[in-house]
Amino acid sequence: MAEFMTETEQRSAAVPHPGMAGGRRGRTGDAVADPNEEPPERHPDGRLEGQEAVALLERTRALVDPELRAALESLPGSMRRIALYHFGWQHADGSPATGNAGKAIRPALVLAAASALGGAAARTAAVRAAVAVELVHNFTLLHDDVMDRDTSRRHRPTVWSVFGDADAILAGDALQALALRLLAEDPHPAAGPAAVRLADCVVELCAGQHADTDLERRAPEEVGLDEVLAMAEAKTGALLGCACALGALYAGVGQEEVAALDGFGRQAGLAFQLIDDVIGIWGDPRHTGKPAGADLAARKKSLPVVAALSSGTQAAAELAELYAKPYISGDDEGIARTALAVDRAGGRDWAQAEAADRMAHAVQELSRAVPAPETAGGLLALAEFVTRRTS
Amino acid sequence: MAEFMTETEQRSAAVPHPGMAGGRRGRTGDAVADPNEEPPERHPDGRLEGQEAVALLERTRALVDPELRAALESLPGSMRRIALYHFGWQHADGSPATGNAGKAIRPALVLAAASALGGAAARTAAVRAAVAVELVHNFTLLHDDVMDRDTSRRHRPTVWSVFGDADAILAGDALQALALRLLAEDPHPAAGPAAVRLADCVVELCAGQHADTDLERRAPEEVGLDEVLAMAEAKTGALLGCACALGALYAGVGQEEVAALDGFGRQAGLAFQLIDDVIGIWGDPRHTGKPAGADLAARKKSLPVVAALSSGTQAAAELAELYAKPYISGDDEGIARTALAVDRAGGRDWAQAEAADRMAHAVQELSRAVPAPETAGGLLALAEFVTRRTS
């Protein structure tokens, strides 16, 4: 469940775009702009690509941060200090920091969904739910970093590496409690169903993280593509779906629309994960900040790799042989051969086609709940933003 | 926060009783009956000491277990398996076990409080809340065992030692979500305020566990008695208080009565911790299943030790000197000298007097909400049961 934010923040590579259904289809092959380059490329409809999402994310931070900080300030001293460090608002010694609390994509989805289905009033009402989703996301980051022994998050040392495992576990526990507390004290009629959904989502995130650690322990030939897709949906798609569904609940729409929004977020999340996995193999190190083929060096069972391994091709057999041996540091030629084998076995093409398909499904789901495409703009912009990796 | 159940289950030592206020006062010095001995001693009022609590706990298990199991069965496979192992309903290989899910003291307090203030209807309505409290308790046990590296719980290997840290963290996370989900989907008007209280309690438990690990890292002379008491209240008292308060909420009483029930549980919890710490030093190994003075060997900063250290006596100086050196395995004479120093510095007397005082306060709090003592019988029996350690 940590994948989404980590990768989004750390990588910004030029990759083929999976394309969008409807009016946005057929954009495959466009290069993603470097976030530091101006101006961003233009949409066919004249809107500035990516700028809408960036503006939405900024507006989200402005709405969400005061509530988020107030929630964190309500924690007892020890927990507050760890949480404020994690969100980048304090240094490890407790002194204030300008911070980097992340991009707020999930709360932005909550607010965009509320706005698309219920207008400005629903968006205002849903701020607390947006904060709850952000707290859940960050609770999982704290715990995943302990499990995965990740030492860096948002360009700073992870909580466990600064304060120790116990504090990271405890602060995560406290953030989950805080998230569900926010909904429990919210008098809005959507708060109860939202809490049920968010709690269910936490369980799904846990199962997804469990599946991920389990998959990584197993031999490549014992891992099926279906289960990697299911894992990615639980670990990455579930919370994006939940964010959209919570926004829909606060807009007061019916169960079908809520389910459609959940589907939209899930499918967009899967598209993201597929693209992220492609970047993990073919991403440009100048943009990703990681050596080329980092996922291959780690022998990660990412989606393109598992698709390639299960292709029954000659290249699949070669890939299986390469993956059976541990990576030797500095063996760039081995990495290049492995990447080529994934490509030749169809892993890259499959992942890109699958991502495009997922995005098409996402848009389809969205159109079930939002028949007028102009009101869905924010949601589409956010989905495109995360799958195009423009920052 | 793990302390309460572990110790209660593992120890059953003959210790002086802190005494009860009101009609139950002045019982200090009574020996606690061995749980296997029959018949138990008689109360002045003719009721069988301990039997009332045992019957209450059995009735609680009968009411709570079906809901608890249904909640656990709703988990995805991987999380379900870990949870069912933890509760003793499955072996590690997934085969069924008759199990030992613990004594259910906290759910019994929820139901006894609901019953005392709202009768049978309130008790029935509060079953879901009782399950939620039990889930929270067990989520903290799963995480505390990881942090404390405890290898045994309820006479079985702990989850982390069987399934690994990641699974123990994830299953704990899932149980917390399940607990708050149960309340979120409960249509009872008390469910919302109950969820707020339970979430706040989780935050307090986290702060308590943090304080405990922090205290144990510090030098004995840097640890104040007030902060150890505050830690014990957060780590042990908070959830007992919350359990009683939730029962009161489901009985539909006012905020003052709810606060009084919370106070009752907190004070009883502190009395328990004080007695538990006395047992950790002077408990009979035949009953505790631990070597004599286990807490002293671990140089634990338990309440009698910290009280002794801060007494300003000659014995305190001697104790500080003994505690500054690590325990050498088999040094029974050193343990005996250390125990004597705690005793001579007044640590034992203080802890017993303090426990008696806490129980008196507990009963006082209870009488604020339950003026007729006959309806409070269940709560008093449970409080006496946990502080007398009759099983």
Side-chain angles (χ1 to χ4, degrees), chain A residues 76 78-79 139 143 147 167 169-170 173 176-177 180-181 184 195-196 199-200 202-203 206 210, chain B residues 75-76 78-79 139 143 147 167 169-170 173 176-177 180-181 184 195-196 199-200 202-203 206 210:
Chain A
S78 56
M79 296 295 107
F139 125 62
H143 284 188
M147 295 175 228
D167 281 3
I169 296 172
L170 290 169
D173 292 344
Q176 185 189 170
L180 290 162
R181 185 198 197 289
V196 171
D200 282 344
V202 168
V203 172
C206 292
H210 176 275
Chain B
L75 291 170
S78 55
M79 294 297 107
F139 125 63
H143 284 188
M147 294 175 228
D167 281 4
I169 296 171
L170 291 169
D173 292 343
Q176 185 188 170
L180 290 162
R181 186 199 197 286
V196 172
D200 282 344
V202 167
V203 172
C206 291
H210 177 275

mmCIF file of all heavy atoms in Angstrom, chain A residues 76 78-79 139 143 147 167 169-170 173 176-177 180-181 184 195-196 199-200 202-203 206 210, chain B residues 75-76 78-79 139 143 147 167 169-170 173 176-177 180-181 184 195-196 199-200 202-203 206 210:
data_model
loop_
_atom_site.group_PDB
_atom_site.id
_atom_site.type_symbol
_atom_site.label_atom_id
_atom_site.label_comp_id
_atom_site.label_asym_id
_atom_site.label_seq_id
_atom_site.Cartn_x
_atom_site.Cartn_y
_atom_site.Cartn_z
ATOM 1 N N PRO A 76 -1.491 13.042 22.136
ATOM 2 C CA PRO A 76 -0.575 13.265 23.258
ATOM 3 C C PRO A 76 0.844 13.520 22.734
ATOM 4 O O PRO A 76 1.199 13.058 21.636
ATOM 5 C CB PRO A 76 -0.616 11.947 24.039
ATOM 6 C CG PRO A 76 -1.654 11.096 23.414
ATOM 7 C CD PRO A 76 -2.027 11.691 22.098
ATOM 8 N N SER A 78 3.976 12.511 22.846
ATOM 9 C CA SER A 78 4.877 11.558 22.202
ATOM 10 C C SER A 78 4.388 11.188 20.805
ATOM 11 O O SER A 78 5.164 11.157 19.846
ATOM 12 C CB SER A 78 4.992 10.296 23.061
ATOM 13 O OG SER A 78 3.709 9.742 23.312
ATOM 14 N N MET A 79 3.097 10.940 20.684
ATOM 15 C CA MET A 79 2.545 10.547 19.386
ATOM 16 C C MET A 79 2.524 11.736 18.422
ATOM 17 O O MET A 79 2.747 11.587 17.222
ATOM 18 C CB MET A 79 1.119 10.005 19.551
ATOM 19 C CG MET A 79 0.997 8.728 20.356
ATOM 20 S SD MET A 79 1.812 7.312 19.557
ATOM 21 C CE MET A 79 3.236 7.111 20.592
ATOM 22 N N PHE A 139 -1.023 6.197 7.981
ATOM 23 C CA PHE A 139 -0.842 5.102 8.942
ATOM 24 C C PHE A 139 -0.256 3.883 8.229
ATOM 25 O O PHE A 139 0.671 3.233 8.733
ATOM 26 C CB PHE A 139 -2.172 4.809 9.671
ATOM 27 C CG PHE A 139 -2.661 3.394 9.611
ATOM 28 C CD1 PHE A 139 -1.928 2.339 10.154
ATOM 29 C CD2 PHE A 139 -3.894 3.093 9.026
ATOM 30 C CE1 PHE A 139 -2.396 1.025 10.086
ATOM 31 C CE2 PHE A 139 -4.361 1.796 8.958
ATOM 32 C CZ PHE A 139 -3.602 0.755 9.481
ATOM 33 N N HIS A 143 3.530 1.919 8.827
ATOM 34 C CA HIS A 143 3.682 0.485 9.095
ATOM 35 C C HIS A 143 4.391 -0.248 7.958
ATOM 36 O O HIS A 143 5.230 -1.116 8.202
ATOM 37 C CB HIS A 143 2.310 -0.140 9.375
ATOM 38 C CG HIS A 143 1.796 0.185 10.745
ATOM 39 N ND1 HIS A 143 0.669 -0.384 11.284
ATOM 40 C CD2 HIS A 143 2.282 1.023 11.704
ATOM 41 C CE1 HIS A 143 0.481 0.088 12.512
ATOM 42 N NE2 HIS A 143 1.430 0.952 12.768
ATOM 43 N N MET A 147 7.822 -2.740 7.874
ATOM 44 C CA MET A 147 7.845 -4.103 7.308
ATOM 45 C C MET A 147 8.822 -4.229 6.159
ATOM 46 O O MET A 147 9.507 -5.227 6.020
ATOM 47 C CB MET A 147 6.447 -4.486 6.802
ATOM 48 C CG MET A 147 5.421 -4.595 7.906
ATOM 49 S SD MET A 147 3.775 -4.912 7.192
ATOM 50 C CE MET A 147 2.818 -3.700 8.097
ATOM 51 N N ASP A 167 7.989 3.089 17.942
ATOM 52 C CA ASP A 167 7.330 4.383 17.757
ATOM 53 C C ASP A 167 6.600 4.461 16.417
ATOM 54 O O ASP A 167 5.535 5.081 16.322
ATOM 55 C CB ASP A 167 8.362 5.515 17.858
ATOM 56 C CG ASP A 167 8.709 5.812 19.316
ATOM 57 O OD1 ASP A 167 8.189 5.100 20.200
ATOM 58 O OD2 ASP A 167 9.489 6.741 19.566
ATOM 59 N N ILE A 169 5.267 1.915 14.818
ATOM 60 C CA ILE A 169 4.053 1.092 14.938
ATOM 61 C C ILE A 169 2.992 1.859 15.738
ATOM 62 O O ILE A 169 1.832 1.955 15.331
ATOM 63 C CB ILE A 169 4.380 -0.259 15.602
ATOM 64 C CG1 ILE A 169 5.340 -1.084 14.724
ATOM 65 C CG2 ILE A 169 3.103 -1.052 15.874
ATOM 66 C CD1 ILE A 169 5.874 -2.351 15.392
ATOM 67 N N LEU A 170 3.413 2.434 16.873
ATOM 68 C CA LEU A 170 2.453 3.128 17.746
ATOM 69 C C LEU A 170 1.853 4.356 17.071
ATOM 70 O O LEU A 170 0.647 4.602 17.160
ATOM 71 C CB LEU A 170 3.138 3.529 19.057
ATOM 72 C CG LEU A 170 3.492 2.352 19.974
ATOM 73 C CD1 LEU A 170 4.407 2.810 21.107
ATOM 74 C CD2 LEU A 170 2.236 1.696 20.523
ATOM 75 N N ASP A 173 -0.697 3.231 14.606
ATOM 76 C CA ASP A 173 -1.926 2.840 15.313
ATOM 77 C C ASP A 173 -2.747 4.061 15.703
ATOM 78 O O ASP A 173 -3.975 4.083 15.565
ATOM 79 C CB ASP A 173 -1.576 2.059 16.589
ATOM 80 C CG ASP A 173 -0.965 0.697 16.291
ATOM 81 O OD1 ASP A 173 -1.081 0.225 15.143
ATOM 82 O OD2 ASP A 173 -0.364 0.104 17.216
ATOM 83 N N GLN A 176 -4.504 5.625 12.700
ATOM 84 C CA GLN A 176 -5.721 4.914 12.289
ATOM 85 C C GLN A 176 -6.880 5.285 13.216
ATOM 86 O O GLN A 176 -8.004 5.546 12.761
ATOM 87 C CB GLN A 176 -5.548 3.382 12.280
ATOM 88 C CG GLN A 176 -6.807 2.729 11.723
ATOM 89 C CD GLN A 176 -6.937 1.209 11.818
ATOM 90 O OE1 GLN A 176 -8.015 0.678 11.545
ATOM 91 N NE2 GLN A 176 -5.892 0.500 12.161
ATOM 92 N N ALA A 177 -6.610 5.301 14.523
ATOM 93 C CA ALA A 177 -7.663 5.648 15.488
ATOM 94 C C ALA A 177 -8.196 7.052 15.233
ATOM 95 O O ALA A 177 -9.405 7.296 15.248
ATOM 96 C CB ALA A 177 -7.127 5.523 16.910
ATOM 97 N N LEU A 180 -10.607 7.196 12.184
ATOM 98 C CA LEU A 180 -11.964 6.702 12.413
ATOM 99 C C LEU A 180 -12.688 7.543 13.459
ATOM 100 O O LEU A 180 -13.914 7.651 13.443
ATOM 101 C CB LEU A 180 -11.917 5.210 12.769
ATOM 102 C CG LEU A 180 -11.505 4.373 11.532
ATOM 103 C CD1 LEU A 180 -11.016 2.997 11.910
ATOM 104 C CD2 LEU A 180 -12.670 4.261 10.541
ATOM 105 N N ARG A 181 -11.917 8.191 14.343
ATOM 106 C CA ARG A 181 -12.516 9.103 15.301
ATOM 107 C C ARG A 181 -13.140 10.304 14.596
ATOM 108 O O ARG A 181 -14.227 10.748 14.941
ATOM 109 C CB ARG A 181 -11.442 9.603 16.267
ATOM 110 C CG ARG A 181 -11.987 10.456 17.381
ATOM 111 C CD ARG A 181 -10.919 11.270 18.053
ATOM 112 N NE ARG A 181 -11.343 11.774 19.339
ATOM 113 C CZ ARG A 181 -12.237 12.728 19.528
ATOM 114 N NH1 ARG A 181 -12.823 13.295 18.504
ATOM 115 N NH2 ARG A 181 -12.562 13.118 20.752
ATOM 116 N N ALA A 184 -16.346 9.273 13.342
ATOM 117 C CA ALA A 184 -17.294 8.939 14.419
ATOM 118 C C ALA A 184 -17.910 10.192 15.039
ATOM 119 O O ALA A 184 -19.042 10.168 15.508
ATOM 120 C CB ALA A 184 -16.599 8.103 15.494
ATOM 121 N N ALA A 195 -17.425 5.562 7.539
ATOM 122 C CA ALA A 195 -16.534 4.877 8.489
ATOM 123 C C ALA A 195 -16.501 3.376 8.210
ATOM 124 O O ALA A 195 -15.440 2.746 8.277
ATOM 125 C CB ALA A 195 -16.988 5.151 9.920
ATOM 126 N N VAL A 196 -17.662 2.810 7.894
ATOM 127 C CA VAL A 196 -17.703 1.376 7.569
ATOM 128 C C VAL A 196 -16.820 1.098 6.349
ATOM 129 O O VAL A 196 -16.006 0.176 6.349
ATOM 130 C CB VAL A 196 -19.157 0.907 7.310
ATOM 131 C CG1 VAL A 196 -19.173 -0.515 6.765
ATOM 132 C CG2 VAL A 196 -19.989 0.995 8.587
ATOM 133 N N ALA A 199 -13.061 1.536 7.212
ATOM 134 C CA ALA A 199 -12.562 0.414 8.011
ATOM 135 C C ALA A 199 -12.397 -0.836 7.136
ATOM 136 O O ALA A 199 -11.397 -1.561 7.236
ATOM 137 C CB ALA A 199 -13.506 0.126 9.181
ATOM 138 N N ASP A 200 -13.372 -1.085 6.271
ATOM 139 C CA ASP A 200 -13.251 -2.223 5.343
ATOM 140 C C ASP A 200 -12.029 -2.058 4.455
ATOM 141 O O ASP A 200 -11.330 -3.020 4.135
ATOM 142 C CB ASP A 200 -14.505 -2.326 4.458
ATOM 143 C CG ASP A 200 -15.676 -2.953 5.215
ATOM 144 O OD1 ASP A 200 -15.433 -3.567 6.268
ATOM 145 O OD2 ASP A 200 -16.815 -2.821 4.739
ATOM 146 N N VAL A 202 -9.267 -0.469 5.196
ATOM 147 C CA VAL A 202 -8.062 -0.769 5.979
ATOM 148 C C VAL A 202 -7.797 -2.272 5.973
ATOM 149 O O VAL A 202 -6.665 -2.718 5.769
ATOM 150 C CB VAL A 202 -8.199 -0.249 7.431
ATOM 151 C CG1 VAL A 202 -7.097 -0.813 8.311
ATOM 152 C CG2 VAL A 202 -8.155 1.275 7.458
ATOM 153 N N VAL A 203 -8.849 -3.051 6.187
ATOM 154 C CA VAL A 203 -8.675 -4.512 6.184
ATOM 155 C C VAL A 203 -8.148 -4.965 4.822
ATOM 156 O O VAL A 203 -7.249 -5.812 4.739
ATOM 157 C CB VAL A 203 -10.010 -5.209 6.539
ATOM 158 C CG1 VAL A 203 -9.895 -6.704 6.339
ATOM 159 C CG2 VAL A 203 -10.421 -4.887 7.973
ATOM 160 N N CYS A 206 -4.505 -4.148 4.442
ATOM 161 C CA CYS A 206 -3.691 -5.096 5.211
ATOM 162 C C CYS A 206 -3.522 -6.398 4.429
ATOM 163 O O CYS A 206 -2.417 -6.938 4.336
ATOM 164 C CB CYS A 206 -4.338 -5.395 6.561
ATOM 165 S SG CYS A 206 -4.343 -3.996 7.689
ATOM 166 N N HIS A 210 -0.064 -7.901 2.971
ATOM 167 C CA HIS A 210 0.292 -9.286 3.292
ATOM 168 C C HIS A 210 0.584 -10.063 2.011
ATOM 169 O O HIS A 210 1.575 -10.788 1.911
ATOM 170 C CB HIS A 210 -0.836 -9.957 4.076
ATOM 171 C CG HIS A 210 -0.567 -11.400 4.361
ATOM 172 N ND1 HIS A 210 -0.856 -12.410 3.468
ATOM 173 C CD2 HIS A 210 0.005 -12.001 5.416
ATOM 174 C CE1 HIS A 210 -0.483 -13.564 3.984
ATOM 175 N NE2 HIS A 210 0.047 -13.350 5.163
ATOM 176 N N LEU B 75 -12.989 -11.478 7.927
ATOM 177 C CA LEU B 75 -11.696 -11.019 7.412
ATOM 178 C C LEU B 75 -11.277 -11.806 6.175
ATOM 179 O O LEU B 75 -11.661 -12.968 6.022
ATOM 180 C CB LEU B 75 -10.625 -11.189 8.492
ATOM 181 C CG LEU B 75 -10.709 -10.287 9.725
ATOM 182 C CD1 LEU B 75 -9.721 -10.754 10.789
ATOM 183 C CD2 LEU B 75 -10.424 -8.836 9.349
ATOM 184 N N PRO B 76 -10.459 -11.198 5.303
ATOM 185 C CA PRO B 76 -9.898 -11.973 4.186
ATOM 186 C C PRO B 76 -9.006 -13.094 4.735
ATOM 187 O O PRO B 76 -8.453 -12.971 5.836
ATOM 188 C CB PRO B 76 -9.054 -10.957 3.420
ATOM 189 C CG PRO B 76 -9.292 -9.636 4.029
ATOM 190 C CD PRO B 76 -9.974 -9.817 5.333
ATOM 191 N N SER B 78 -5.991 -14.390 4.670
ATOM 192 C CA SER B 78 -4.693 -14.282 5.328
ATOM 193 C C SER B 78 -4.833 -13.671 6.726
ATOM 194 O O SER B 78 -4.234 -14.152 7.693
ATOM 195 C CB SER B 78 -3.758 -13.416 4.477
ATOM 196 O OG SER B 78 -4.348 -12.152 4.203
ATOM 197 N N MET B 79 -5.636 -12.621 6.833
ATOM 198 C CA MET B 79 -5.812 -11.950 8.121
ATOM 199 C C MET B 79 -6.625 -12.826 9.081
ATOM 200 O O MET B 79 -6.376 -12.855 10.284
ATOM 201 C CB MET B 79 -6.536 -10.608 7.930
ATOM 202 C CG MET B 79 -5.770 -9.571 7.147
ATOM 203 S SD MET B 79 -4.231 -9.055 7.966
ATOM 204 C CE MET B 79 -3.020 -9.857 6.924
ATOM 205 N N PHE B 139 -5.803 -6.271 19.498
ATOM 206 C CA PHE B 139 -4.920 -5.571 18.541
ATOM 207 C C PHE B 139 -3.690 -5.039 19.276
ATOM 208 O O PHE B 139 -2.558 -5.163 18.787
ATOM 209 C CB PHE B 139 -5.714 -4.492 17.798
ATOM 210 C CG PHE B 139 -5.163 -3.090 17.867
ATOM 211 C CD1 PHE B 139 -3.919 -2.782 17.336
ATOM 212 C CD2 PHE B 139 -5.907 -2.058 18.446
ATOM 213 C CE1 PHE B 139 -3.417 -1.479 17.400
ATOM 214 C CE2 PHE B 139 -5.412 -0.771 18.505
ATOM 215 C CZ PHE B 139 -4.158 -0.481 17.988
ATOM 216 N N HIS B 143 0.460 -6.044 18.738
ATOM 217 C CA HIS B 143 1.528 -5.070 18.474
ATOM 218 C C HIS B 143 2.521 -4.990 19.625
ATOM 219 O O HIS B 143 3.726 -4.891 19.403
ATOM 220 C CB HIS B 143 0.914 -3.694 18.178
ATOM 221 C CG HIS B 143 0.324 -3.609 16.802
ATOM 222 N ND1 HIS B 143 -0.130 -2.447 16.248
ATOM 223 C CD2 HIS B 143 0.133 -4.568 15.854
ATOM 224 C CE1 HIS B 143 -0.579 -2.683 15.023
ATOM 225 N NE2 HIS B 143 -0.445 -3.961 14.775
ATOM 226 N N MET B 147 6.742 -5.358 19.774
ATOM 227 C CA MET B 147 7.662 -4.344 20.332
ATOM 228 C C MET B 147 8.460 -4.893 21.506
ATOM 229 O O MET B 147 9.634 -4.596 21.649
ATOM 230 C CB MET B 147 6.859 -3.132 20.814
ATOM 231 C CG MET B 147 6.169 -2.377 19.702
ATOM 232 S SD MET B 147 5.119 -1.059 20.386
ATOM 233 C CE MET B 147 3.613 -1.365 19.480
ATOM 234 N N ASP B 167 3.173 -9.925 9.675
ATOM 235 C CA ASP B 167 1.824 -10.459 9.842
ATOM 236 C C ASP B 167 1.201 -10.031 11.171
ATOM 237 O O ASP B 167 -0.011 -9.789 11.245
ATOM 238 C CB ASP B 167 1.848 -11.990 9.752
ATOM 239 C CG ASP B 167 1.933 -12.446 8.297
ATOM 240 O OD1 ASP B 167 2.040 -11.578 7.417
ATOM 241 O OD2 ASP B 167 1.890 -13.665 8.053
ATOM 242 N N ILE B 169 1.844 -7.217 12.764
ATOM 243 C CA ILE B 169 1.480 -5.799 12.626
ATOM 244 C C ILE B 169 0.191 -5.675 11.811
ATOM 245 O O ILE B 169 -0.753 -4.982 12.201
ATOM 246 C CB ILE B 169 2.627 -4.997 11.974
ATOM 247 C CG1 ILE B 169 3.875 -5.004 12.878
ATOM 248 C CG2 ILE B 169 2.196 -3.566 11.693
ATOM 249 C CD1 ILE B 169 5.129 -4.415 12.223
ATOM 250 N N LEU B 170 0.139 -6.398 10.685
ATOM 251 C CA LEU B 170 -1.023 -6.293 9.797
ATOM 252 C C LEU B 170 -2.289 -6.823 10.461
ATOM 253 O O LEU B 170 -3.362 -6.218 10.344
ATOM 254 C CB LEU B 170 -0.754 -7.053 8.493
ATOM 255 C CG LEU B 170 0.312 -6.411 7.591
ATOM 256 C CD1 LEU B 170 0.700 -7.367 6.472
ATOM 257 C CD2 LEU B 170 -0.193 -5.093 7.030
ATOM 258 N N ASP B 173 -3.494 -4.288 12.893
ATOM 259 C CA ASP B 173 -4.154 -3.189 12.171
ATOM 260 C C ASP B 173 -5.581 -3.567 11.766
ATOM 261 O O ASP B 173 -6.510 -2.764 11.879
ATOM 262 C CB ASP B 173 -3.361 -2.839 10.901
ATOM 263 C CG ASP B 173 -2.009 -2.211 11.221
ATOM 264 O OD1 ASP B 173 -1.812 -1.764 12.353
ATOM 265 O OD2 ASP B 173 -1.156 -2.190 10.310
ATOM 266 N N GLN B 176 -7.968 -3.572 14.734
ATOM 267 C CA GLN B 176 -8.422 -2.233 15.130
ATOM 268 C C GLN B 176 -9.529 -1.751 14.187
ATOM 269 O O GLN B 176 -10.556 -1.224 14.619
ATOM 270 C CB GLN B 176 -7.284 -1.187 15.145
ATOM 271 C CG GLN B 176 -7.813 0.130 15.684
ATOM 272 C CD GLN B 176 -6.903 1.364 15.622
ATOM 273 O OE1 GLN B 176 -7.366 2.463 15.881
ATOM 274 N NE2 GLN B 176 -5.643 1.206 15.294
ATOM 275 N N ALA B 177 -9.322 -1.952 12.887
ATOM 276 C CA ALA B 177 -10.325 -1.524 11.904
ATOM 277 C C ALA B 177 -11.656 -2.237 12.151
ATOM 278 O O ALA B 177 -12.730 -1.625 12.109
ATOM 279 C CB ALA B 177 -9.819 -1.797 10.493
ATOM 280 N N LEU B 180 -13.611 -0.732 15.154
ATOM 281 C CA LEU B 180 -14.293 0.537 14.917
ATOM 282 C C LEU B 180 -15.379 0.375 13.854
ATOM 283 O O LEU B 180 -16.377 1.104 13.858
ATOM 284 C CB LEU B 180 -13.269 1.619 14.573
ATOM 285 C CG LEU B 180 -12.424 1.979 15.812
ATOM 286 C CD1 LEU B 180 -11.144 2.702 15.450
ATOM 287 C CD2 LEU B 180 -13.235 2.826 16.808
ATOM 288 N N ARG B 181 -15.211 -0.626 12.985
ATOM 289 C CA ARG B 181 -16.250 -0.924 12.008
ATOM 290 C C ARG B 181 -17.524 -1.413 12.705
ATOM 291 O O ARG B 181 -18.633 -1.030 12.335
ATOM 292 C CB ARG B 181 -15.760 -2.000 11.051
ATOM 293 C CG ARG B 181 -16.720 -2.278 9.921
ATOM 294 C CD ARG B 181 -16.455 -3.612 9.264
ATOM 295 N NE ARG B 181 -17.084 -3.710 7.955
ATOM 296 C CZ ARG B 181 -18.395 -3.869 7.765
ATOM 297 N NH1 ARG B 181 -19.210 -3.915 8.785
ATOM 298 N NH2 ARG B 181 -18.891 -3.953 6.535
ATOM 299 N N ALA B 184 -19.284 1.480 13.911
ATOM 300 C CA ALA B 184 -19.759 2.345 12.820
ATOM 301 C C ALA B 184 -21.038 1.803 12.191
ATOM 302 O O ALA B 184 -21.869 2.562 11.703
ATOM 303 C CB ALA B 184 -18.671 2.499 11.756
ATOM 304 N N ALA B 195 -17.725 5.000 19.712
ATOM 305 C CA ALA B 195 -16.599 4.926 18.781
ATOM 306 C C ALA B 195 -15.589 6.035 19.064
ATOM 307 O O ALA B 195 -14.370 5.803 19.020
ATOM 308 C CB ALA B 195 -17.101 5.007 17.342
ATOM 309 N N VAL B 196 -16.091 7.244 19.367
ATOM 310 C CA VAL B 196 -15.184 8.350 19.700
ATOM 311 C C VAL B 196 -14.359 7.988 20.930
ATOM 312 O O VAL B 196 -13.129 8.144 20.957
ATOM 313 C CB VAL B 196 -15.977 9.658 19.943
ATOM 314 C CG1 VAL B 196 -15.064 10.750 20.486
ATOM 315 C CG2 VAL B 196 -16.642 10.124 18.654
ATOM 316 N N ALA B 199 -11.803 5.166 20.126
ATOM 317 C CA ALA B 199 -10.672 5.679 19.344
ATOM 318 C C ALA B 199 -9.743 6.511 20.223
ATOM 319 O O ALA B 199 -8.514 6.392 20.143
ATOM 320 C CB ALA B 199 -11.182 6.504 18.157
ATOM 321 N N ASP B 200 -10.323 7.352 21.080
ATOM 322 C CA ASP B 200 -9.496 8.131 22.007
ATOM 323 C C ASP B 200 -8.702 7.202 22.919
ATOM 324 O O ASP B 200 -7.544 7.477 23.248
ATOM 325 C CB ASP B 200 -10.380 9.041 22.868
ATOM 326 C CG ASP B 200 -10.839 10.276 22.108
ATOM 327 O OD1 ASP B 200 -10.241 10.572 21.054
ATOM 328 O OD2 ASP B 200 -11.799 10.933 22.549
ATOM 329 N N VAL B 202 -7.655 4.199 22.202
ATOM 330 C CA VAL B 202 -6.542 3.615 21.437
ATOM 331 C C VAL B 202 -5.350 4.573 21.456
ATOM 332 O O VAL B 202 -4.207 4.161 21.688
ATOM 333 C CB VAL B 202 -6.957 3.299 19.981
ATOM 334 C CG1 VAL B 202 -5.735 2.998 19.122
ATOM 335 C CG2 VAL B 202 -7.931 2.126 19.948
ATOM 336 N N VAL B 203 -5.621 5.859 21.231
ATOM 337 C CA VAL B 203 -4.537 6.841 21.249
ATOM 338 C C VAL B 203 -3.860 6.851 22.619
ATOM 339 O O VAL B 203 -2.626 6.883 22.724
ATOM 340 C CB VAL B 203 -5.072 8.239 20.872
ATOM 341 C CG1 VAL B 203 -3.999 9.293 21.076
ATOM 342 C CG2 VAL B 203 -5.564 8.252 19.424
ATOM 343 N N CYS B 206 -1.660 3.824 23.051
ATOM 344 C CA CYS B 206 -0.407 3.993 22.293
ATOM 345 C C CYS B 206 0.567 4.862 23.085
ATOM 346 O O CYS B 206 1.756 4.545 23.189
ATOM 347 C CB CYS B 206 -0.683 4.639 20.935
ATOM 348 S SG CYS B 206 -1.588 3.579 19.796
ATOM 349 N N HIS B 210 4.135 3.722 24.586
ATOM 350 C CA HIS B 210 5.324 4.529 24.275
ATOM 351 C C HIS B 210 6.042 4.929 25.564
ATOM 352 O O HIS B 210 7.266 4.809 25.675
ATOM 353 C CB HIS B 210 4.932 5.774 23.484
ATOM 354 C CG HIS B 210 6.085 6.679 23.202
ATOM 355 N ND1 HIS B 210 6.519 7.634 24.098
ATOM 356 C CD2 HIS B 210 6.924 6.757 22.155
ATOM 357 C CE1 HIS B 210 7.561 8.256 23.598
ATOM 358 N NE2 HIS B 210 7.829 7.750 22.417
#
